[in-house]
Amino acid sequence: MADWHEITGGITAPRGYRAAGITAGLKPSGLPDLALILSDVEAIAAGVFTTSQVRAACVDYCRQRLQAKQNARAILCNAGQANAATGTQGWFDALESAMTVAQALNIPSESVLLASTGVIGQRIKMDKLKAGIPQLIAALSETGSDAAAGAIITTDLVPKSIALETTIGDRPVRIGGIAKGSGMIHPNMATMLAFVTCDAVVSPALWQQMLSRAADRSFNSITVDGDTSTNDSLIALANGQSRTPAIIEMGPEAEKLEAMLTAVCQHLAKAIARDGEGATCLMEVQVTGAHDETSARQIAKTIAGSSLVKSAIFGRDPNWGRIAAAAGRAGVPFEQENLQIKLGDFLLLENGQPLSFDRAAASAYLKQAAAGAYLKEDTVLIFVSIGNGYGSGKAWGCDLSYDYVKINAEYTT
């Protein structure tokens, strides 16, 4: 039983945060495209970023800022232009963006973190961004989470948001989050942005450790299409406004806080996978019997990322051979006579031996998941066991449809 419960409010549910999202004219569509998250006080800041060698200016900016100073007040995010592979001028644009917000808020520029999303190779439309900053700040609100969530998306079909509450030291502690992502999604991390706020009091080193572990169990365990982006950013703030006892080392209270942080990240990660471009259903792969959690997650991610598995799911074909093949090439040693595969309630393979099963019923199970798209009933569950080890792990993905090609063939046009 979880030690927390879901609440409303998203990114502004924790105490001491405001957010806003506006239309600044950065997107050709005229949809909202500029978001700001602000803590009333300096907050402990942590981040996890793309592993790509081709990185957006905002990623390098945030890495430098967090290495020098592990706190922040604000996160500015623009949608429409990725500001990646934009050279020296793209870097200067990032600096100017932070400076513009900082001056308008009367805070140090190093207290502003940045994120961008959109087309690679395109600089931010700085004239429009700077002109929109006063309106953005004026729109800041303790109920501004939904507006911010809507302003950071690109090809997403739906905004992604969550907030949870628990009790630490007899006082409520909250964590909220918003995210965007739909395509170019693959560990490590994905073309995704995620912003998390928390009102607990936690040490900088511990907050970073918690976030890194939560990322491994969530955003680093999803895949849509096997492509890693230039802009992936997960940024988390903890501003201490809950007035709870300080958490400075691992223990029961730290474990509770990390578990809730992981739950927030997993909810957002699954929402991204569920909203995969052209997807009709969410896939959850659960692997058990491995030597350790890392090995189990590696197999789960390989299965979830297999184009053949994803295509079979879209075709409503219970082709367990593709699942077995993906598990076998994951780079994790195991004896194939120990392999077991289940699709939902259908046991397809046991002790490395194929079993008779109702193929029509298994196909109907996949069709039912597709019919429940964007609902909790849309998840295709794949269970794989490779032995008797204690290691278990999960990964999430989506099916691969005709629409994925159509969406990405026309993305810049």
Side-chain angles (χ1 to χ4, degrees):
M1 184 74 176
D3 289 331
W4 57 80
H5 60 276
E6 187 171 345
I7 58 175
T8 60
I11 201 81
T12 52
R15 291 166 182 79
Y17 292 97
R18 290 173 288 159
I22 66 164
T23 299
L26 302 175
K27 289 180 181 175
S29 64
L31 294 173
D33 48 26
L34 192 61
L36 181 64
I37 301 163
L38 179 68
S39 172
D40 292 343
V41 299
E42 283 285 323
I44 300 302
V48 179
F49 302 96
T50 182
T51 57
S52 174
Q53 296 302 303
V54 179
R55 298 178 301 274
C58 58
V59 170
D60 288 338
Y61 170 89
C62 286
R63 281 176 167 169
Q64 289 187 19
R65 287 287 184 262
L66 292 176
Q67 286 173 359
K69 176 184 176 183
Q70 290 179 290
N71 51 19
R73 285 280 308 274
I75 303 170
L76 175 71
C77 178
N78 73 279
Q81 299 85 45
N83 199 25
T86 49
T88 303
Q89 190 56 55
W91 172 253
F92 289 141
D93 289 343
L95 295 179
E96 188 176 7
S97 297
M99 182 66 72
T100 302
V101 173
Q103 290 177 344
L105 291 170
N106 195 27
I107 62 175
S109 62
E110 57 265 29
S111 292
V112 179
L113 298 176
L114 302 173
S116 300
T117 183
V119 179
I120 295 170
Q122 291 189 4
R123 288 175 50 200
I124 301 169
K125 298 176 181 177
M126 291 301 297
D127 56 338
K128 295 184 180 298
L129 182 143
K130 290 193 294 182
I133 292 300
Q135 178 190 351
L136 183 64
I137 292 175
L140 284 168
S141 166
E142 293 179 353
T143 58
S145 179
D146 288 347
I152 66 174
I153 62 177
T154 49
T155 59
D156 307 52
L157 295 179
V158 293
K160 300 157 182 69
S161 176
I162 183 69
L164 301 177
E165 181 180 85
T166 190
T167 302
I168 294 178
D170 296 324
R171 291 184 63 85
V173 170
R174 298 171 178 175
I175 299 180
I178 60 174
K180 68 83 54 181
S182 184
M184 204 181 282
I185 301 289
H186 190 65
N188 294 296
M189 291 191 319
T191 192
M192 48 137 286
L193 303 177
F195 308 121
V196 174
T197 57
C198 175
D199 54 18
V201 183
V202 59
S203 70
L206 190 58
W207 187 234
Q208 180 64 59
Q209 293 167 12
M210 288 180 176
L211 187 67
S212 296
R213 287 191 291 263
D216 281 341
R217 293 167 178 161
S218 58
F219 299 110
N220 282 342
S221 294
I222 59 173
T223 180
V224 168
D225 50 18
D227 277 300
T228 297
S229 173
T230 55
N231 290 56
D232 311 328
S233 300
L234 165 61
I235 300 173
L237 304 180
N239 67 5
Q241 294 301 288
S242 64
R243 310 298 184 189
T244 51
I247 300 174
I248 58 175
E249 60 184 6
M250 289 306 296
E253 292 181 344
E255 290 173 359
K256 179 186 286 190
L257 186 67
E258 182 174 339
M260 189 165 70
L261 174 63
T262 301
V264 166
C265 290
Q266 286 185 344
H267 175 93
L268 295 173
K270 288 192 284 185
I272 289 172
R274 176 178 282 112
D275 195 23
E277 290 170 341
T280 67
C281 62
L282 175 70
M283 293 164 47
E284 179 174 304
V285 183
Q286 301 181 18
V287 175
T288 58
H291 176 70
D292 53 30
E293 180 184 348
T294 300
S295 298
R297 279 208 313 269
Q298 181 60 34
I299 294 175
K301 287 190 289 186
T302 303
I303 294 170
S306 165
S307 293
L308 290 177
V309 172
K310 292 155 63 68
S311 298
I313 299 300
F314 176 67
R316 322 309 173 204
D317 178 11
N319 189 339
W320 61 263
R322 293 182 177 181
I323 299 171
R329 66 173 173 83
V332 176
F334 65 88
E335 299 298 329
Q336 63 177 333
E337 56 264 26
N338 293 329
L339 184 62
Q340 181 190 85
I341 297 174
K342 286 181 64 180
L343 179 65
D345 293 330
F346 298 92
L347 184 60
L348 312 180
L349 184 80
E350 190 169 29
N351 297 322
Q353 299 293 317
L355 301 176
S356 298
F357 67 95
D358 188 336
R359 181 171 293 273
S363 180
Y365 165 72
L366 297 175
K367 292 177 182 177
Q368 182 181 19
Y374 305 109
L375 302 174
K376 292 183 179 179
E377 294 79 14
D378 72 339
T379 307
V380 170
L381 297 175
I382 297 174
F383 303 96
V384 175
S385 177
I386 62 168
N388 298 313
Y390 294 104
S392 62
K394 296 180 182 179
W396 296 272
C398 60
D399 58 343
L400 183 60
S401 73
Y402 310 130
D403 284 340
Y404 176 83
V405 176
K406 178 177 176 59
I407 291 168
N408 283 282
E410 300 173 352
Y411 179 59
T412 62
T413 58

